[in-house]
Amino acid sequence: MSALLLKDFYMILRYCRAFFLLIAVFFAISLVQEETVFFLIYPIILVSMIPITLLSYDERDKWDKYSSALPYTRAQLVSSKYLIGLFGGLLVLLISCLIQAVKMTKMGIFDMSYYMEICEMLFDISLMAPLLVLPFVFKFGVEKGRIVYYIVILGISIGAAALTSIELNVKSLMPDFSINYHMFTAAIIVFYIISWRLSIVFYRKRQL
């Protein structure tokens, strides 16, 4: 497994440099646009594309077929992509949360409970796209799965834009908002694990 992760890491360094530049740009814009977390969402969405990008290069270079001759199971091949996405998402999440803390402190509005809710929302978004898209990619291939990816990302982007544009005190309407949102996060984690397992099942049955 470590060799698969190392191979994907080298591929990221070679093929995903543009992602790093775009992420840095969005982080810079986020520091300027102090009143919104909207620009912190895009780096997380970009990172969620990395496993799909790696899979597209794997298919182009026939790695998916070549790997059948190597001592790796289909479960390990799937797991390496989920782990790469998870590690990358958590790294960008930590940076996003740090930037948000700096912004809130500079504006003099730092509130720990509100800050934790923002970080939790960003965490959920970091898992949402992969858990919805990767099973389709491993079942049907990158090209068909990419269509699902664009639909999911469009939905997340519209939802994020709506949340950041509506001036609404959600807590006043839902006193138990924090409890409900923690339950939503727990559900996202469970579905992420289910998605991981489904991808393994689909990829084992897929003819390469």
Side-chain angles (χ1 to χ4, degrees), residues 8-17 20 50 54 84:
D8 284 340
F9 176 72
Y10 286 145
M11 288 182 65
I12 290 172
L13 293 180
R14 180 169 183 178
Y15 297 116
C16 301
R17 295 174 184 173
F20 302 144
I50 288 179
L54 296 178
I84 284 291

Side-chain angles (χ1 to χ4, degrees), residues 169-190:
N169 189 345
V170 179
K171 290 183 179 180
S172 65
L173 300 178
M174 297 175 58
D176 58 345
F177 173 77
S178 295
I179 297 175
N180 290 331
Y181 202 81
H182 293 334
M183 293 175 62
F184 177 76
T185 299
I188 288 290
I189 294 172
V190 171

Side-chain angles (χ1 to χ4, degrees), residues 20-40:
F20 302 144
L21 177 60
L22 288 172
I23 288 171
V25 169
F26 280 119
F27 279 152
I29 295 175
S30 178
L31 285 171
V32 176
Q33 299 291 330
E34 296 181 341
E35 72 279 2
T36 180
V37 299
F38 186 60
F39 289 99
L40 290 178

Side-chain angles (χ1 to χ4, degrees), residues 11-140:
M11 288 182 65
I12 290 172
L13 293 180
R14 180 169 183 178
Y15 297 116
C16 301
R17 295 174 184 173
F19 285 61
F20 302 144
L21 177 60
L22 288 172
I23 288 171
V25 169
F26 280 119
F27 279 152
I29 295 175
S30 178
L31 285 171
V32 176
Q33 299 291 330
E34 296 181 341
E35 72 279 2
T36 180
V37 299
F38 186 60
F39 289 99
L40 290 178
I41 294 173
Y42 275 96
I44 293 175
I45 292 176
L46 286 172
V47 169
S48 72
M49 291 180 62
I50 288 179
I52 300 172
T53 301
L54 296 178
L55 283 167
S56 68
Y57 281 109
D58 284 347
E59 288 190 5
R60 188 199 68 177
D61 297 333
K62 308 300 181 183
W63 163 258
D64 51 346
K65 296 179 176 62
Y66 175 72
S67 62
S68 300
L70 300 175
Y72 299 121
T73 65
R74 295 283 181 98
Q76 289 175 322
L77 295 170
V78 170
S79 296
S80 67
K81 296 301 186 291
Y82 271 84
L83 289 173
I84 284 291
L86 185 62
F87 294 154
L90 290 177
L91 177 59
V92 172
L93 173 66
L94 289 174
I95 298 173
S96 298
C97 290
L98 178 61
I99 290 175
Q100 183 63 24
V102 171
K103 288 166 52 179
M104 294 176 70
T105 301
K106 286 173 59 179
M107 296 172 65
I109 59 171
F110 186 86
D111 176 80
M112 181 56 72
S113 61
Y114 178 59
Y115 171 71
M116 293 305 295
E117 287 171 8
I118 292 176
C119 292
E120 190 171 353
M121 178 193 70
L122 295 175
F123 172 76
D124 292 342
I125 292 174
S126 72
L127 296 184
M128 198 173 298
L131 79 85
L132 292 173
V133 177
L134 285 178
F136 288 94
V137 173
F138 281 108
K139 183 175 179 61
F140 299 110

